[in-house]
Amino acid sequence: NATQAEYEPLSLRDKSEASSIFEVVDVGLTCFFCAELAFNLFGHWFWDFFLDGWSVFDLIVVAVSVAALALENVPGVNILRVLRAFR
């Protein structure tokens, strides 16, 4: 999203083809990370998953990404997407 903000001027963000490409990539990567999280969760049989701090952090980051996609128009939610950079 930082790349998207730097790439597109403010006046073109709602209309450009690049904006729709970034949207598709964003949704695709979020789906990929959700699938990865599900495999990790089932691979560690829940209890081991929640005992590992990195797995819990991954769960929080993916949950924030999904929330940001679902709640696009809520102010402040997109700021939480910065957490994905730490992933």
Side-chain angles (χ1 to χ4, degrees):
N1 287 340
T3 304
Q4 181 181 5
E6 290 296 319
Y7 178 71
E8 297 178 12
L10 289 174
S11 61
L12 297 177
R13 283 199 183 142
D14 294 330
K15 305 176 222 173
S16 86
E17 182 179 332
S19 180
S20 63
I21 291 171
F22 281 119
E23 180 80 22
V24 169
V25 169
D26 190 26
V27 171
L29 287 175
T30 301
C31 290
F32 174 78
F33 290 136
C34 284
E36 178 197 14
L37 184 67
F39 285 128
N40 191 9
L41 184 65
F42 289 116
H44 287 102
W45 292 104
F46 296 104
W47 187 247
D48 290 335
F49 177 86
F50 288 106
L51 289 178
D52 182 27
W54 287 112
S55 294
V56 173
F57 179 72
D58 196 28
L59 175 69
I60 292 168
V61 169
V62 171
V64 166
S65 296
V66 170
L69 283 176
L71 306 170
E72 292 181 347
N73 298 327
V74 176
V77 172
N78 285 333
I79 293 172
L80 294 175
R81 296 173 93 176
V82 172
L83 283 175
R84 292 193 307 181
F86 294 115
R87 190 172 193 279

